[in-house]
Amino acid sequence: MAFKHTHLFLTLLVIASTFAMGLSNRDFEKSSKNWNFWFNYTNWPPRHPNPTPSSRKIIVGGSDNWRFGFNYTEWAMKSSPFFFNDTLVFKFDPPSENNQHPHSVYLLPNLWSFLTCDLRWAKQVAKTTDGRGEGFEFVLNKWRPYYFACGESNGFHCRSGMKFFAMPLFPWY
Ligand SMILES: *[C@@H]1O[C@H](CO)[C@@H](O)[C@H](O)[C@H]1NC(C)=O
Ligand SMILES: *[C@@H]1O[C@H](CO)[C@@H](O)[C@H](O)[C@H]1NC(C)=O
Ligand SMILES: *[C@@H]1O[C@H](CO)[C@@H](O)[C@H](O)[C@H]1NC(C)=O
Ligand SMILES: [Cu+2]
């Protein structure tokens, strides 16, 4: 469901920006503010909402951090779009006597493994101890979809909501 929306959004973005190239300036004057932000080609490429995009740091999950029982797909939908060079910060406690169920961060190779939480070909990017203190930082520095998931308990954490999708926009800034 969430992916469908993300995908639809990206497809519309591509279609609409292609279409927009063919429109006259006068057509644009009728446009809404939002449309104007994405497709104002007199000002192409559109302005980033933050003047120093590479300094943007986003705490994954906000004040909930990276934890069990939180729906990160919903969080990612509310927090999108993500931009090229945004830094995602994953904060989670290391394993200890009081924390028998720690977390980790994996990158899944494709949409299918993301949907099914299949970790077999996943790449571990953060160990269970990497999220302590200031957290584990991951920079979205490639123009590709990122499929993040917690890799603990054989995909159980992932299936319970510890996964999300991020496609950074505008690599040409
Ligand atoms: C495009 O954006 C610029 C700067 O935000 C604005 O001055 C201009 O009026 C916009 N152009 C159109 C056609 O809306
Ligand atoms: C998380 O939220 C999305 C969108 O509302 C929903 O489709 C999905 O089933 C939820 N995931 C879990 C594990 O509850
Ligand atoms: C992204 O960050 C890298 C490394 O700091 C920098 O060289 C590059 O210019 C940045 N790219 C954009 C599009 O901000
Ligand atoms: Cu976990």
Side-chain angles (χ1 to χ4, degrees):
M1 193 70 160
F3 171 78
K4 262 190 202 157
H5 288 155
T6 317
H7 198 218
L8 181 66
F9 170 69
L10 288 172
T11 309
L12 286 176
L13 184 69
V14 171
I15 292 171
S17 53
T18 311
F19 181 59
M21 304 293 175
L23 290 178
S24 72
N25 258 325
R26 212 169 337 109
D27 293 326
F28 259 128
E29 272 151 31
K30 296 178 216 149
S31 65
S32 71
K33 261 192 182 165
N34 208 28
W35 174 266
N36 194 42
F37 169 76
W38 294 107
F39 305 117
N40 176 345
Y41 67 99
T42 61
N43 194 24
W44 193 263
R47 276 183 201 160
H48 192 286
N50 178 330
T52 52
S54 59
S55 69
R56 218 167 79 132
K57 269 194 193 182
I58 301 155
I59 314 255
V60 176
S63 56
D64 279 275
N65 295 339
W66 186 233
R67 70 165 176 88
F68 187 82
F70 187 85
N71 190 328
Y72 290 89
T73 296
E74 276 178 6
W75 171 82
M77 283 195 297
K78 281 185 220 137
S79 311
S80 358
F82 298 106
F83 289 91
F84 201 73
N85 273 357
D86 277 352
T87 301
L88 296 181
V89 186
F90 295 82
K91 293 189 170 184
F92 49 97
D93 292 331
S96 70
E97 259 172 54
N98 302 327
N99 182 21
Q100 306 282 345
H101 300 287
H103 306 294
S104 58
V105 184
Y106 281 69
L107 269 183
L108 301 175
N110 53 50
L111 175 63
W112 185 247
S113 57
F114 175 74
L115 292 174
T116 58
C117 286
D118 180 354
L119 290 156
R120 274 177 294 173
W121 294 281
K123 185 183 160 213
Q124 184 169 35
V125 292
K127 297 192 293 289
T128 55
T129 51
D130 289 344
R132 57 155 68 96
E134 295 301 298
F136 166 74
E137 297 195 351
F138 188 99
V139 184
L140 303 175
N141 60 6
K142 296 205 179 71
W143 201 40
R144 50 158 277 188
Y146 290 92
Y147 304 103
F148 290 102
C150 177
E152 300 314 295
S153 303
N154 238 331
F156 174 61
H157 286 204
C158 175
R159 287 190 296 277
S160 306
M162 292 190 80
K163 65 169 172 181
F164 67 98
F165 162 91
M167 174 80 207
L169 297 178
F170 309 143
W172 50 82
Y173 265 89

